[in-house]
Amino acid sequence: MDRKFRNLSLKSKLFVLLIAISLVPTLTVSFISQFVLVRSSTDYTATLSSQLVEYMATEINNYLIGINETLNPVVIHSEFQKFLSVSKDNVPAQANYSINFRPLLQLIIQSKKEILSVLYLDNLGKVYSESQKVHIQFEYPFQQDPVLSKVYTMEKEGLLVPHPMNYAISPAQNQQVLTFVKPVIDLRQQTIGGWILIEIDAEWFQKLMDHTRLGHNGHMLLFSRESGELIHFGQPSSTIDGLREQLMLRPDGTDQFLMNVEGTRYQVMYSPIPLGNWTLVGISDLGEMNQGIRQAQTLTFIVASISFIIALLIAFPFMGVVLRPLYRLKSGMQMLGRGTSVPIDHSVQDEIGFLIRTYNRMLDDLDILRQEVIRTRLSEKEKELLQLQAQINPHFLFNTLETIESYSLHNHGEAVSDMLRCVSRMMRYNVRQDRGLAPLAEEIKYIRDFLHIHSYRYGEKVQAEFEIEPELLDTPIMKLSLQPFVENSLKYGWSPARGNADFVLRLSVQVDNNQWLVIVSDNGRGIPDEILHKLRTLTESDGESSDPYFMQHTGIMNVYRRYALAYGDQFSMKLERNDKEGQGTRVVIRLPYGKM
């Protein structure tokens, strides 16, 4: 063999050498490239699809939470609470009460064009509807409706499957809607007194889900593990029918799984939607997902074959030139698998260039998606912060108005005028459009007006001491973030039924180690142990508490959540007994200075 090789011509030797050098690297590169492309692309597509499903589930959940929160002012409205217990036949009383809370329902409908109507049902047989688009048949037997009959057994918020509005006056009867149901608690009886139904246009909801598609044959569905119901807006198919059974058999906690239907392999991903106990399910056709991989494999084989032939005809260095972009693509995809995405520079318009341009576009799309997720989260955070800052305590306003009425009946005009000026200043301060910030001096003025009105209500002035560093008076601070603690001190430390000559309320605002140091303390009776435990539990759980106490006592919880949203881990709040005074309560708040 060795003698025969030596006896070959130089041209033949070069030919044999080129075959030996080119064949092995070409086959190796082809195999490795295909393997890396298949694995990386499949993993990436699965990861991206899971992120899309989670993103869409979060969007739907936030939308339902938004609707639920807009209904809370209606539920706690005093006239609405009276409306719950009115009998079906007492139409004048129903009209008298509904005229007061009707503007809140109209505002909900006007703010969301996809909401067709707001419907109210209860066990007393009352039916109330508010809509600008459809008219309801009030005599319709809702308790016998195949879908709406479920409402009368619901004890928590939920979403009903798409259904026609059979109870609407034609032509709206065939209108498909999804119904968000909110049970209403009768605050006097502490039982469910009725249900508010938000009728959402099913076509709008379908467009919302279709906004994020998982390929040409992909689907987005809603699934209830409790009832086995599956919400799908498209045509029935064997894929959808087999999916329900597979979902019921899956254990909790499984993120994704594979499913075979009629020879086609699907990847199923799902993410929970907490409100209503639904799950968003995404289905991707693996054949469709791997179609680009198969094309890439074909192109790789063609490029490798052409490179091999050219290398035999011309020279080995040319093969290196052809394969160099492919090596860069392989390196880029390996870096992507490790979490680093770097675009590949390649301007040649060949098959490998097509793959690289596709890869670079994929990186751009991924970056855009990441930025959209970040912007969405920041927008939701800012929205929640502004909503919390817009809340006021209606009880204080009601009590103040009652006090003004009492003084007016006794012809104390000067006192009435004084209180009205205080309330006017406080309300203007509360509703002023300043993105929730105000100079510390204005916040202190708000507290003084509050204490001034308190003295009129109870006939005694509260001894209050303010220790404020003068240079801080013009510094912006979060509005209405100190008054709840002053009100809390009066609530638990001061009483009109006992002597208050020795009661002192102190508010101190200083800068300590580049931090706001805010201390609100008193020497009164002090917070009861049970309430102090609830407040400490609130601070230890980052402002998230399901204790019923905070449904009626929202002041400190509101302030805590606002601080937590604005500053995160840089904010701390501690409630403790006032050891210096021997009694009373002391609240210590620390915030980063200069980052408002």
Side-chain angles (χ1 to χ4, degrees):
M1 184 67 182
D2 183 67
R3 179 177 295 181
K4 290 181 179 181
F5 182 79
R6 288 197 302 268
N7 293 332
L8 291 174
S9 64
L10 181 60
K11 183 178 181 179
S12 299
K13 289 180 181 179
L14 181 59
F15 180 77
V16 173
L17 183 61
L18 286 174
I19 291 177
I21 294 176
S22 303
L23 184 59
V24 175
T26 300
L27 295 178
T28 303
V29 169
S30 177
F31 175 80
I32 294 178
S33 299
Q34 293 178 13
F35 176 77
V36 172
L37 283 170
V38 172
R39 186 179 64 178
S40 300
S41 297
T42 303
D43 292 344
Y44 168 75
T45 305
T47 301
L48 183 60
S49 298
S50 298
Q51 291 176 350
L52 290 175
V53 172
E54 293 176 1
Y55 167 77
M56 197 64 201
T58 303
E59 286 292 295
I60 295 176
N61 190 60
N62 289 340
Y63 175 79
L64 296 179
I65 290 176
I67 292 180
N68 189 47
E69 290 180 348
T70 57
L71 290 175
N72 287 335
V74 180
V75 171
I76 64 175
H77 196 283
S78 59
E79 299 298 304
F80 183 80
Q81 285 291 317
K82 296 176 182 177
F83 180 84
L84 295 177
S85 58
V86 175
S87 65
K88 175 182 178 180
D89 299 327
N90 193 350
V91 177
Q94 295 180 35
N96 183 47
Y97 293 141
S98 63
I99 198 174
N100 292 285
F101 61 81
R102 182 184 181 188
L104 298 176
L105 299 179
Q106 292 176 336
L107 182 61
I108 296 174
I109 296 177
Q110 294 170 0
S111 64
K112 297 183 182 296
K113 61 181 181 181
E114 69 275 6
I115 295 179
L116 301 181
S117 70
V118 178
L119 186 63
Y120 167 85
L121 304 174
D122 64 18
N123 288 322
L124 298 178
K126 295 195 302 295
V127 178
Y128 179 83
S129 173
E130 189 65 44
S131 174
Q132 298 176 350
K133 301 177 182 178
V134 298
H135 298 283
I136 302 299
Q137 304 179 41
F138 292 91
E139 69 278 6
Y140 181 83
F142 290 94
Q143 294 185 350
Q144 301 175 14
D145 187 275
V147 176
L148 295 186
S149 60
K150 302 176 183 178
V151 171
Y152 295 89
T153 61
M154 296 180 65
E155 297 182 354
K156 59 182 180 180
E157 292 82 1
L159 192 66
L160 301 182
V161 297
H163 60 92
M165 299 181 71
N166 297 326
Y167 41 90
I169 298 176
S170 181
Q173 287 181 333
N174 296 325
Q175 174 75 46
Q176 289 285 326
V177 294
L178 274 83
T179 302
F180 176 77
V181 182
K182 180 179 180 63
V184 179
I185 303 297
D186 189 331
L187 300 180
R188 292 172 295 181
Q189 303 293 332
Q190 291 299 311
T191 58
I192 296 178
W195 297 266
I196 297 180
L197 286 67
I198 303 296
E199 306 284 14
I200 305 171
D201 188 353
E203 182 178 354
W204 176 89
F205 204 90
Q206 179 182 359
K207 292 179 180 179
L208 175 66
M209 296 182 66
D210 289 344
H211 179 71
T212 306
R213 295 202 53 138
L214 302 177
H216 181 71
N217 297 323
H219 301 284
M220 283 281 193
L221 311 96
L222 290 174
F223 173 71
S224 174
R225 188 175 301 277
E226 292 182 354
S227 63
E229 294 175 313
L230 194 63
I231 297 180
H232 176 239
F233 295 95
Q235 296 295 327
S237 65
S238 57
T239 303
I240 305 303
D241 293 337
L243 178 62
R244 180 184 290 103
E245 181 179 355
Q246 291 288 336
L247 289 172
M248 293 298 294
L249 296 177
R250 303 305 299 181
D252 293 338
T254 303
D255 294 330
Q256 53 183 292
F257 62 91
L258 299 178
M259 180 181 67
N260 290 315
V261 179
E262 297 180 352
T264 304
R265 201 177 186 194
Y266 296 91
Q267 186 172 35
V268 182
M269 295 127 322
Y270 53 94
S271 181
I273 301 176
L275 192 63
N277 198 24
W278 285 84
T279 300
L280 182 66
V281 182
I283 309 175
S284 295
D285 187 346
L286 284 181
E288 182 180 351
M289 291 168 56
N290 294 329
Q291 183 178 2
I293 303 299
R294 291 193 296 270
Q295 294 175 353
Q297 292 174 346
T298 303
L299 291 174
T300 302
F301 176 77
I302 295 174
V303 171
S305 300
I306 295 176
S307 300
F308 174 73
I309 295 173
I310 295 177
L312 292 177
L313 297 177
I314 302 177
F316 177 75
F318 185 73
M319 180 174 286
V321 174
V322 173
L323 294 179
R324 192 176 299 121
L326 191 58
Y327 289 142
R328 291 202 301 267
L329 178 60
K330 172 188 173 183
S331 177
M333 299 196 74
Q334 288 176 334
M335 295 176 63
L336 179 61
R338 294 192 294 268
T340 303
S341 58
V342 179
I344 300 174
D345 185 17
H346 186 71
S347 58
V348 179
Q349 303 296 320
D350 57 10
E351 290 82 355
I352 298 179
F354 170 77
L355 292 176
I356 293 177
R357 290 192 301 274
T358 302
Y359 171 79
N360 289 337
R361 286 196 298 268
M362 180 181 67
L363 295 182
D364 294 338
D365 293 342
L366 179 60
D367 185 65
I368 292 174
L369 179 61
R370 289 172 178 167
Q371 295 300 325
E372 288 179 353
V373 172
I374 291 174
R375 285 194 295 269
T376 300
R377 290 178 178 174
L378 289 177
S379 176
E380 291 298 327
K381 179 177 179 181
E382 181 179 2
K383 184 188 302 182
E384 182 178 358
L385 179 59
L386 293 178
Q387 287 176 346
L388 289 172
Q389 290 177 166
Q391 296 178 5
I392 63 172
N393 185 350
H395 299 292
F396 168 74
L397 180 61
F398 296 155
N399 293 335
T400 302
L401 293 177
E402 291 176 356
T403 303
I404 293 175
E405 179 186 19
S406 176
Y407 272 82
S408 65
L409 292 176
H410 292 83
N411 296 323
H412 294 298
E414 183 177 351
V416 170
S417 177
D418 191 16
M419 282 187 285
L420 287 176
R421 284 193 296 269
C422 290
V423 172
S424 176
R425 285 194 299 266
M426 295 174 73
M427 294 302 296
R428 281 196 297 268
Y429 178 73
N430 193 304
V431 302
R432 189 176 64 195
Q433 298 296 324
D434 50 17
R435 299 196 63 80
L437 299 177
L440 177 60
E442 294 188 16
E443 182 74 6
I444 299 302
K445 176 61 177 174
Y446 183 91
I447 294 175
R448 292 185 183 275
D449 286 337
F450 170 79
L451 293 175
H452 195 53
I453 292 177
H454 183 275
S455 66
Y456 277 112
R457 287 182 59 198
Y458 296 102
E460 294 184 28
K461 289 187 177 181
V462 176
Q463 184 178 351
E465 298 178 359
F466 295 87
E467 300 175 2
I468 314 296
E469 295 186 5
E471 60 271 17
L472 298 179
L473 292 175
D474 295 329
T475 305
I477 191 172
M478 192 178 294
K479 285 175 53 178
L480 306 177
S481 60
L482 302 181
Q483 183 269 342
F485 298 102
V486 172
E487 183 177 358
N488 203 61
S489 292
L490 296 179
K491 179 178 180 179
Y492 294 107
W494 187 94
S495 173
R498 53 186 300 178
N500 295 285
D502 297 331
F503 180 84
V504 179
L505 172 68
R506 293 185 177 89
L507 172 60
S508 170
V509 183
Q510 304 173 7
V511 176
D512 179 37
N513 293 328
N514 203 31
Q515 286 184 316
W516 287 85
L517 177 60
V518 180
I519 301 176
V520 181
S521 63
D522 64 80
N523 60 352
R525 297 169 299 170
I527 299 178
D529 292 339
E530 179 183 357
I531 305 302
L532 184 61
H533 175 71
K534 293 179 183 292
L535 294 176
R536 287 176 174 172
T537 302
L538 174 69
T539 60
E540 294 171 357
S541 61
D542 294 331
E544 300 294 336
S545 176
S546 58
D547 194 313
Y549 173 82
F550 293 106
M551 295 181 65
Q552 298 181 350
H553 305 79
T554 60
I556 293 182
M557 183 177 182
N558 186 313
V559 174
Y560 187 93
R561 291 181 60 192
R562 288 163 58 195
Y563 278 139
L565 282 171
Y567 299 107
D569 296 337
Q570 296 179 298
F571 150 71
S572 66
M573 184 176 79
K574 182 169 61 174
L575 296 96
E576 59 189 7
R577 299 297 185 192
N578 196 347
D579 296 333
K580 294 183 179 180
E581 301 291 340
Q583 57 184 346
T585 307
R586 187 169 182 260
V587 181
V588 180
I589 302 173
R590 287 187 176 272
L591 307 169
Y593 181 72
K595 293 186 178 182
M596 179 63 65

